[in-house]
Amino acid sequence: MNKYLVSGILPASRVTCAGTDIAENVPPGAAASLTAQSSRPLSDVLGEIAAETKPF
Amino acid sequence: MRKRWGAAALAAPLFMSLVGTAQAAPGPLDEYYTQTVAWAECPAGWVSPSTGVECATVIVPMDYKNPDNGNLEIAISRKKATDPARRRGVLLTNPGGPGGSGLGAVHWFNAQTEVLKIYDVIGMDPRGVGRSTQLRCISTPTDDEFPSRPTDSQLANWSEYARAVEDNCQRGGGEMRRFVSTMNTARDMDVIRGALGEKKISYVGYSYGTQLGAVFGSMFPKSLDRSVLDSALDPLKTWHEQDVDVVDAITDNLKKWTEWTAARNGTYGLGTTPAAVRGELDAIAAKLKAGPYGGYADVSSFDYAVGATRYRRSWAAFSRHIASIKAGAADPAEASAIVAALKKGDIEPTSAGTYQAVTCEWDWFTDVNTYYNDMKRWRDTNPYGGTVDYMAPTNCTFRAFKRPEKIPAITRKYPAGLVVNSDGDTQTPLANGRVMAEHLNQPLINVSNDGQHGHYALRRTLAWTRW
């Protein structure tokens, strides 16, 4: 499970930045057609991202 | 009053008065610095109505070296600190662009109660923008039809368009145009500081707003308290040089996505090597040259959609999307929905004229062949994600006005602030933010494995604490 990570020169104790998953876990070996049907479409993910960073 | 007020300034007499007791600044600008800011209910259309949000207009000279040369209005908004006993001062903001409207900034920090407690949040439409005195261009037909993979003979179309934009902006902007600059906006910010009776301001700027913040800090180091430069530009490079960084970032994201997908061939079936995964994209693009395919009308829209690889969170969905096209099972409506969603995430259309004036502060190559050579190189190596367009001539290639001043050397003689960038961001690549942080000797936060543009206080999924 990947998380957003914060790096830089600030001590970790002075800043937190906890985020959502980079990408959902995909069952190993699952057929592409199966995952395409059972997971969110790309347009949904992109729409969510766009809404998150308004006003940009 | 010896100033010659423009018609625009006279249009809003209820919002300003040049008689006041705010912090004084000596010299010919004294009357600007000491004007009284008359806060009132925001006029309809300025900012989403909300309890406690007020608006005002501040008057600034168009030309700071010659204040007699007319005035401009600067529209500002405010949400007062909710814990007056702990109030630290004002937090001035800028959304970037250049040319983005900032009046809505009073709502950006709604999830950041600590910020709202101690700061009066101030939004601003910079000079030339929105509810401030606008800089206008005569409209030029859109360049939406420009292909992502132009033929050599089509390259001149970009020049023709860019030259027309410059000509129309010059005719539409008139005398005001050369005074719409980062440096003059920084001066406006200091006038606002003075008019608000503040010794210093704190500042949050996003994207181009980081350049504005860095310039403000360099010009007015004694006026700056705390600062956050989010999604920062490289203060040592020209705008075009940073466009080269953008194209490099787009390419790096694509490379990383192919590596990620190749490592999951069992899931997506797009190949076991990055080259094989890239080959699947190229195969789709080749079919699109013959006509609509996979829900895409043409190869340009597909190339644009591949720009989704900047967002790490979208990688799995993008891989599934490509796999579905390969399998001939793509939802025909999905392609257009992807393009629409990506455009939604792009920078909002900027106020006509300001972007086309401010970006001309930097030096630009004047030989169109310099651009054409780069356009051809990216067309032939990585046309995905809009690379060719980034390398194209802009109106600044044909700049028709003389810049009154150059961008000052960026220095920091004020308290260290914070720089925030993310890897994967293709609008302000991490490499740019790293230079900003190093040059200003400020801490850098990298939101890693990400790709988004604009983070501090805005993103619901990121929890910011005091720093």
Side-chain angles (χ1 to χ4, degrees):
Chain A
M1 184 75 74
N2 293 310
K3 293 283 188 183
Y4 288 116
L5 302 174
V6 171
S7 59
I9 61 174
L10 277 182
S13 61
R14 292 184 60 197
V15 62
T16 62
C17 182
T20 56
D21 298 341
I22 292 171
E24 76 252 31
N25 282 334
V26 178
S33 57
L34 177 63
T35 52
Q37 290 169 7
S38 62
S39 302
R40 297 174 63 200
L42 177 59
S43 57
D44 270 10
V45 179
L46 295 174
E48 178 184 86
I49 291 170
E52 216 177 60
T53 48
K54 285 291 181 183
F56 299 98
Chain B
M1 218 36 238
R2 62 185 173 80
K3 306 291 185 298
R4 286 181 284 119
W5 300 101
L10 292 172
L14 297 177
F15 281 86
M16 51 68 62
S17 163
L18 288 179
V19 180
T21 56
Q23 179 184 352
L29 302 176
D30 184 48
E31 290 163 300
Y32 296 98
Y33 273 86
T34 58
Q35 65 185 290
T36 294
V37 179
W39 294 104
E41 184 178 345
C42 295
W46 278 39
V47 61
S48 298
S50 178
T51 304
V53 174
E54 305 165 291
C55 291
T57 298
V58 173
I59 302 301
V60 298
M62 180 172 74
D63 176 5
Y64 278 86
K65 289 181 181 171
N66 183 14
D68 287 338
N69 199 19
N71 291 302
L72 305 176
E73 289 183 350
I74 305 297
I76 58 176
S77 56
R78 175 177 74 172
K79 181 181 276 187
K80 294 186 76 172
T82 59
D83 187 353
R86 294 175 55 213
R87 182 182 179 277
R88 186 178 176 89
V90 299
L91 179 64
L92 198 59
T93 56
N94 182 273
S101 169
L103 288 176
V106 289
H107 296 307
W108 297 349
F109 302 92
N110 285 349
Q112 308 297 326
T113 53
E114 191 63 23
V115 170
L116 294 179
K117 280 180 183 172
I118 64 174
Y119 285 110
D120 292 352
V121 176
I122 306 292
M124 171 182 73
D125 274 359
R127 58 169 57 202
V129 176
R131 304 297 170 174
S132 296
T133 306
Q134 287 191 357
L135 178 65
R136 296 181 182 276
C137 289
I138 297 169
S139 66
T140 305
T142 180
D143 63 347
D144 278 350
E145 302 303 319
F146 285 0
S148 60
R149 305 180 186 212
T151 62
D152 286 2
S153 63
Q154 288 176 317
L155 297 177
N157 294 345
W158 267 269
S159 292
E160 188 180 335
Y161 176 76
R163 198 189 300 271
V165 168
E166 179 62 11
D167 182 51
N168 285 334
C169 287
Q170 191 64 14
R171 289 193 291 134
E175 174 71 0
M176 178 181 168
R177 190 171 183 230
R178 65 194 184 101
F179 297 109
V180 174
S181 68
T182 304
M183 289 65 76
N184 279 336
T185 297
R187 294 181 178 105
D188 295 342
M189 289 163 57
D190 203 53
V191 168
I192 291 169
R193 175 200 60 74
L196 293 176
E198 301 287 339
K199 189 174 180 184
K200 293 174 181 280
I201 63 165
S202 289
Y203 178 80
V204 176
Y206 300 92
S207 194
Y208 158 78
T210 66
Q211 173 76 7
L212 175 61
V215 167
F216 177 80
S218 301
M219 294 173 66
F220 301 99
K222 293 180 179 176
S223 296
L224 188 55
D225 183 15
R226 293 178 172 177
S227 61
V228 176
L229 305 181
D230 187 313
S231 302
L233 271 62
D234 182 334
L236 305 181
K237 286 185 175 176
T238 68
W239 191 269
H240 182 71
E241 287 170 336
Q242 292 179 82
D243 278 344
V244 174
D245 291 337
V246 164
V247 169
D248 286 342
I250 291 170
T251 303
D252 188 56
N253 287 334
L254 178 62
K255 176 174 174 287
K256 287 191 166 88
W257 170 77
T258 60
E259 292 168 351
W260 185 91
T261 303
R264 292 158 180 79
N265 182 55
T267 300
Y268 302 111
L270 294 174
T272 58
T273 65
V277 175
R278 165 68 189 261
E280 296 291 354
L281 296 183
D282 293 343
I284 294 170
K287 288 181 179 176
L288 277 163
K289 286 181 182 174
Y293 178 70
Y296 291 93
D298 52 42
V299 73
S300 290
S301 56
F302 179 67
D303 287 345
Y304 179 73
V306 176
T309 52
R310 65 179 286 181
Y311 301 117
R312 303 297 191 265
R313 204 193 317 172
S314 77
W315 277 2
F318 185 71
S319 297
R320 286 197 309 276
H321 176 61
I322 299 303
S324 70
I325 296 175
K326 180 185 178 186
D331 176 353
E334 176 65 357
S336 57
I338 290 168
V339 171
L342 274 174
K343 285 188 173 173
K344 202 173 167 187
D346 282 349
I347 297 174
E348 297 282 343
T350 54
S351 178
T354 299
Y355 182 93
Q356 290 85 353
V358 173
T359 52
C360 294
E361 289 167 8
W362 284 270
D363 292 326
W364 290 79
F365 297 116
T366 55
D367 180 0
V368 294
N369 290 308
T370 305
Y371 300 92
Y372 295 167
N373 289 336
D374 282 339
M375 293 169 78
K376 286 188 276 190
R377 181 162 68 90
W378 287 105
R379 176 197 64 194
D380 296 339
T381 56
N382 174 29
Y384 298 110
T387 55
V388 171
D389 199 51
Y390 272 110
M391 293 293 93
T394 77
N395 70 289
C396 298
T397 306
F398 308 100
R399 182 176 56 220
F401 64 100
K402 185 178 179 183
R403 292 170 296 179
E405 60 186 323
K406 288 193 170 185
I407 299 170
I410 302 299
T411 58
R412 181 173 69 78
K413 295 179 181 175
Y414 51 87
L418 183 67
V419 178
V420 184
N421 276 69
S422 77
D423 52 12
D425 180 5
T426 54
Q427 285 155 277
T428 51
L430 175 61
N432 295 168
R434 186 171 287 130
V435 175
M436 178 70 88
E438 289 175 355
H439 186 69
L440 294 179
N441 191 25
Q442 297 193 138
L444 168 70
I445 288 180
N446 168 30
V447 183
S448 62
N449 287 323
D450 187 49
Q452 291 183 226
H453 182 65
H455 312 277
Y456 179 78
L458 299 173
R459 293 177 60 182
R460 296 187 298 272
T461 54
L462 300 179
W464 297 89
T465 63
R466 296 179 68 183
W467 51 275

